[in-house]
Amino acid sequence: MEKFKIDKEALKSKFNKEKFIDAANTIGDKAKQAADVATKFTKDSGEFLETQYKNAKDEIELKVFSPVFENEIKEKIQSNPIMLRIEEDGGKRNSSEVCVGSIGHIESIKGKDILTIYNQFANDYGFNFYPVLVNTFYLSNPYVENMYICIDDYFNYLKRAKVDELEQIAFALGAKHVKVTLKEVRKQIVSNSIKGSVSGRFGGDSLKGNHAISNNVTDYSELEVAKDVEFEGNDNPIYPELVYFKEEKDILNLIQMRLDKNINQIKSKTYTLNYVSSKDIREETATSIDAVLKHLHLSGNASVASEVEAKNRIVFEYTIKF
């Protein structure tokens, strides 16, 4: 009996040990599985959080850097037609993934969106830069598509272009003499409308009392003779190519009169033509451009607004003889 009891205990001990080993193995497997799951969860969570962070970072950088890509350039030009900035490259934008492949960017300055194109790409999209391509601000030529004029040359260029076209018009029409004079409306310190006491008779009616007297004659001061040219002249006029004066009624009438040989031919005439047309920069636009330049500490000894204001007072006196 005793021997049997010892064997029984031995078997029991052996059984418990095996169960313990099995249980331990089972627990180990489950613990390992749990550890594997925890590791995977931690890894997946980390990757998820990293992805979310990257997406948020990219979204912020897209808003801050506002990169412009090749397929967007036409749309951006149409929505920002007046002012264009050329820079060497993207600067700090070069280190951002969202700017990879960009050719420029949009920057909001004083409420105005400014399109910047990087120098190396500026000649790739049919733009014509006058006088040369440098890293600076340009204003669009309102009469010539895709032409941008350096802001410091802008007003002088347009003046020369308009004067030259008036000369070419005379040349094409076979004129013998053409003279282009720039005149400025004289500023007045005292209004030309005054109130005065009037008495007398007009048309049989008696006039007496205070009346407004207005002098509507515009007084000009001469600024410069921009062109004074003699031609041999000819009687075979051709229609001139018009860019800056193609909507000027006086010029269109002049061309019609000169080309129509079946009626009384024009011999000479002097026109007063507006220097500024509806296509030129308005004063409010000029003011916003000045605000951008001032914000960037690029203001010089003149302003766009002052130039526009001065040009609004100028006319061309155009004398042509056949």
Side-chain angles (χ1 to χ4, degrees), residues 20 50 57 83 90 112 213 223 237 281 290 319 322:
F20 175 78
E50 185 178 346
K57 179 174 176 288
M83 199 173 189
K112 190 173 183 65
I213 304 171
L223 295 177
I281 292 179
D290 284 333
T319 299
F322 298 96

Side-chain angles (χ1 to χ4, degrees), residues 36-51:
D36 290 344
V37 169
T39 300
K40 187 175 186 304
F41 176 78
T42 302
K43 182 180 178 182
D44 290 347
S45 297
E47 290 177 351
F48 174 78
L49 290 174
E50 185 178 346
T51 300

Side-chain angles (χ1 to χ4, degrees), residues 170 177-181 268-271 317-321:
H177 178 234
V178 61
K179 183 177 181 180
V180 182
T181 305
S268 68
K269 189 169 181 177
T270 297
Y271 297 89
E317 186 179 85
Y318 184 52
T319 299
I320 188 167
K321 296 180 181 180

Side-chain angles (χ1 to χ4, degrees), residues 14-252:
K14 183 180 179 182
F15 174 77
N16 288 340
K17 185 177 181 180
E18 289 176 351
K19 283 190 66 175
F20 175 78
I21 292 171
D22 289 342
N25 287 337
T26 301
I27 293 171
D29 289 342
K30 289 183 178 179
K32 185 175 182 302
Q33 290 173 11
D36 290 344
V37 169
T39 300
K40 187 175 186 304
F41 176 78
T42 302
K43 182 180 178 182
D44 290 347
S45 297
E47 290 177 351
F48 174 78
L49 290 174
E50 185 178 346
T51 300
Q52 291 296 93
Y53 170 77
K54 185 179 183 305
N55 290 342
K57 179 174 176 288
D58 288 350
E59 187 175 346
I60 291 172
E61 289 188 355
L62 276 173
K63 291 180 179 179
V64 172
F65 292 150
S66 297
V68 174
F69 299 91
E70 184 175 7
N71 63 335
E72 301 174 310
I73 190 65
K74 290 184 178 179
E75 175 193 345
K76 299 302 182 183
I77 284 290
Q78 289 173 357
S79 58
N80 302 272
I82 303 296
M83 199 173 189
L84 178 64
R85 189 181 192 181
I86 302 297
E87 287 187 344
E88 188 61 32
D89 56 35
K92 61 185 178 182
R93 291 172 170 81
N94 293 340
S95 59
S96 172
E97 290 185 14
V98 301
C99 296
V100 173
S102 63
I103 63 170
H105 63 267
I106 296 288
E107 187 174 359
S108 182
I109 304 175
K110 304 300 283 185
K112 190 173 183 65
D113 287 342
I114 304 301
L115 173 61
T116 293
I117 297 180
Y118 306 139
N119 192 297
Q120 61 181 311
F121 303 109
N123 283 321
D124 295 344
Y125 302 98
F127 301 126
N128 177 23
F129 295 96
Y130 178 90
V132 292
L133 176 63
V134 293
N135 298 331
T136 188
F137 277 98
Y138 291 81
L139 298 179
S140 64
N141 185 335
Y143 301 89
V144 180
E145 188 175 1
N146 289 333
M147 181 181 185
Y148 287 86
I149 306 166
C150 176
I151 195 166
D152 286 332
D153 295 289
Y154 184 78
F155 293 100
N156 282 334
Y157 176 88
L158 289 182
K159 183 187 79 170
R160 291 194 304 270
K162 291 177 181 182
V163 169
D164 288 347
E165 183 161 295
L166 289 173
E167 179 186 21
Q168 288 299 318
I169 290 169
F171 176 79
L173 295 180
K176 292 182 178 180
H177 178 234
V178 61
K179 183 177 181 180
V180 182
T181 305
L182 270 68
K183 293 190 171 184
E184 182 181 31
V185 178
R186 194 187 300 275
K187 292 182 179 180
Q188 293 178 312
I189 298 174
V190 178
S191 172
N192 63 358
S193 294
I194 61 173
K195 287 186 177 181
S197 179
V198 179
S199 64
R201 301 185 67 83
F202 179 77
D205 295 326
S206 176
L207 296 177
K208 193 171 183 178
N210 292 324
H211 296 271
I213 304 171
S214 178
N215 177 14
N216 292 321
V217 177
T218 303
D219 190 15
Y220 295 100
S221 59
E222 185 173 309
L223 295 177
E224 65 170 305
V225 176
K227 289 284 182 181
D228 193 353
V229 184
E230 298 281 347
F231 299 107
E232 184 177 337
N234 70 73
D235 293 324
N236 298 300
I238 60 174
Y239 201 100
E241 181 180 353
L242 300 179
V243 176
Y244 297 92
F245 293 95
K246 65 181 179 181
E247 296 178 3
E248 175 57 60
K249 291 183 179 180
D250 282 339
I251 293 298
L252 297 176

